[in-house]
Amino acid sequence: MHRLDEWWRGAAIYQVYVRSFADANGDGVGDLAGVRSRLRYLAELGVDALWFSPWYASPMADGGYDVADYRAIHPHFGDLAQAEQLIAEALDLGIRTIVDIVPNHASDQHPWFRRALEAGPGSPERERFWFRPGRGPDGHLPPNNWQSQFGGAAWTRVPDGEWYLHRFAAAQPDLNWQHPEVRREHEEVLRFWFDRGAAGVRVDSAAEVVKDPALPDLPSGRAPDPHPYFDRDEIHDVYRDWRKVAESYTPPRALIGEVWLPDPERFARYLRPDELHTAFNFGFLTCPWDAGRLRETISSTLAAHQPVGAPATWVLANHDVTRTVTRYGRAETGFDFAAKAHGIPTDLALGRRRARAAALLSLALPGSVYLYQGEELGLPEVEDLPVDVIDDPMFHRTAGADPGRDGCRVPLPWGGGTAPFGFTSTAAGAPDTAVDAWLPQPSQWSELTVERQSADPASLLNLYRAALRLRHAEPGLGDGTMTWLPSAPQVLCFSRSATFACVANLGGVPVDLPVHREVLLSSAVLMDHQLPPDTAAWLRLP
Ligand code: NOJ
């Protein structure tokens, strides 16, 4: 039996990308007051918790994943008092708060990094990061051949000739987790947010935090084992310490890892009973719309979690990947299914149909489920943003070869017929002013607003609301187990209890529904007891 306070085992968690959620002060950028003004919307949607992408003081070189002060709120978003108020108000509506912790790197404007620059080579201040002399006769070559995940070298040279490591943008220097102060500081940051009512943390780039201090070159070809900066064994000590911090609270706080690891066994190590509580399941997110491959992914996910006793998570979208309706509207694009690849023909009507079915599928699977803001509206990826508004360092560091991630970060359309669709409002609540949203919304989004979809019983928003309501009421849903039921190869069919089943037809022809007493919910209209292509249904079994 699981403890009652283990809410995270079966929760529906909604990711808020604050900058793009709702703007209450009319400057074109979302803020905490905007989130507070929409808490009722989130409660009516039926989510159990909110995960906020970083809301800290930051130069925003990577949308806030470059933190200058882990204890302060970005002035564009509000202040600490507002964050505390938001956490409390959400809890009054039964919604918990998860904050994003970014341990791998800080901002180059973080006081530690500024002091390290001032203190110079060989100083203790530089030990908190990875400073090294360069190679070559005058040190003009980077210390090793590591590449940034955003393109280009993972090293930048400072005026005194040393180089520092940054696995992401140059404005995100990597921290040295061998340093005791780095470890202590992060434990204090955890306590800081837990003391303010955060029910848990999402751990950014959780498998990349620890480095081999020898900083060896990466050999070409096969990845070395152990890898110098990825999934190193020492990392687990960090999370064991964090678990002790989380468990020192009543109720215990939850640790949720962003762990991109294709090997399920290595992945599960992060979820041992004294480490992280759960981690995002990217195998599911990157799996193409194919029944055989999804069945295999679901089964191997559950098999990997079983020995460590951790619940699985089901994720279809976040602020880093192509939006679901666009992805599912494309022919299969291999393992990089979730990656940005603009210019590929997309059938949005098909994508929308599949996204509806995928919603019912993911909400029926055992464990917790994540929803990224706008997913409940079926927003497509915006693939034609003007180049001069693109902010994402991934786009800029690759000179546009990678379209970047701004296309899934376009502000939400709330209501009205023209942009900014109620995203931006003045403090006095006057209608939209002339201020543009920080990224422009397509004019067609007038059909996808919350207002429009609320009034349409057949909208995706109302499907999510109904499904989340049922998920709460249905004892078999959320945490627990599932059993595959016999089905045609292109169909996924499983039960969650003696009386509840989910069935999804991913094939091209209608199939008969299994024997049932009642259809509780379906992602499309059913005819003659048949499930049309790209449709899912929840069934009451006899
Ligand atoms: C993962 C985050 O989700 C992504 O948005 C960010 O750019 C990197 N980690 C670096 O913090």
Side-chain angles (χ1 to χ4, degrees), residues 510-513 516 525-532:
V511 294
D512 289 337
L513 283 172
H516 60 279
V525 176
L526 308 185
M527 303 260 274
D528 305 326
H529 298 286
Q530 285 204 310
L531 198 59

Side-chain angles (χ1 to χ4, degrees), residues 15 17 51 53 62-66 100 102 104-105 149-150 168-169 172 202 204-205 208 258 260 318-320 392-394 405 409:
Q15 180 188 356
Y17 195 73
W51 148 36
S53 284
D62 180 21
Y65 284 92
D66 48 318
D100 211 321
V102 189
N104 180 68
H105 42 268
Q149 282 197 31
F150 292 163
F168 296 92
Q172 295 165 291
R202 176 259 190 194
D204 186 69
S205 305
E208 296 166 53
E258 188 210 14
W260 283 92
N318 64 32
H319 64 295
D320 291 329
D392 186 0
M394 207 176 239
R405 302 159 295 176
R409 300 171 176 180

Side-chain angles (χ1 to χ4, degrees), residues 243-365:
R243 181 70 173 239
K244 287 181 201 133
V245 176
E247 301 273 341
S248 70
Y249 283 80
T250 310
R253 308 309 203 234
L255 307 174
I256 302 158
E258 188 210 14
V259 182
W260 283 92
L261 275 184
D263 176 346
E265 193 275 326
R266 300 286 309 182
F267 177 87
R269 289 179 189 212
Y270 290 77
L271 304 178
R272 287 177 287 201
D274 58 349
E275 297 194 38
L276 304 178
H277 295 84
T278 65
F280 299 130
N281 174 1
F282 292 117
F284 183 66
L285 187 154
T286 52
C287 186
W289 190 245
D290 173 89
R293 291 173 71 171
L294 274 167
R295 188 181 294 107
E296 159 57 23
T297 299
I298 293 166
S299 294
S300 60
T301 297
L302 295 173
H305 284 73
Q306 206 265 333
V308 285
T313 66
W314 308 99
V315 185
L316 289 175
N318 64 32
H319 64 295
D320 291 329
V321 299
T322 303
R323 280 220 180 251
T324 319
V325 297
T326 303
R327 237 167 51 218
Y328 286 142
R330 284 181 174 154
E332 183 183 323
T333 51
F335 183 73
D336 278 339
F337 180 62
K340 305 289 166 190
H342 294 178
I344 298 177
T346 308
D347 178 345
L348 280 185
L350 178 68
R352 230 165 237 133
R353 190 177 175 91
R354 289 177 172 174
R356 292 176 67 92
L360 291 196
L361 174 66
S362 57
L363 290 168
L365 288 166

Side-chain angles (χ1 to χ4, degrees), residues 151-214:
W155 294 91
T156 289
R157 200 172 193 191
V158 299
D160 57 44
E162 279 206 328
W163 298 72
Y164 67 89
L165 175 70
H166 52 86
R167 293 268 307 108
F168 296 92
Q172 295 165 291
D174 276 41
L175 287 160
N176 170 6
W177 276 79
Q178 256 85 19
H179 199 298
E181 281 176 28
V182 170
R183 297 177 72 136
R184 202 174 323 123
E185 165 67 359
H186 278 81
E187 289 181 20
E188 280 168 23
V189 168
L190 292 181
R191 286 199 185 89
F192 181 87
W193 288 104
F194 292 159
D195 288 343
R196 275 157 189 79
V201 294
R202 176 259 190 194
V203 187
D204 186 69
S205 305
E208 296 166 53
V209 166
V210 176
K211 316 283 175 323
D212 177 349

Side-chain angles (χ1 to χ4, degrees), residues 348-435:
L348 280 185
L350 178 68
R352 230 165 237 133
R353 190 177 175 91
R354 289 177 172 174
R356 292 176 67 92
L360 291 196
L361 174 66
S362 57
L363 290 168
L365 288 166
S368 57
V369 67
Y370 285 80
L371 268 177
Y372 170 51
Q373 67 179 41
E375 196 178 346
E376 77 279 22
L377 304 176
L379 298 184
E381 185 79 6
V382 181
E383 301 194 296
D384 57 356
L385 286 171
V387 165
D388 59 336
V389 302
I390 296 184
D391 194 47
D392 186 0
M394 207 176 239
F395 174 85
H396 294 290
R397 285 186 64 91
T398 60
D402 187 310
R405 302 159 295 176
D406 285 351
C408 65
R409 300 171 176 180
V410 173
L412 293 193
W414 290 95
T418 51
F421 302 116
F423 166 71
T424 281
S425 57
T426 61
D432 298 337
T433 61
V435 175

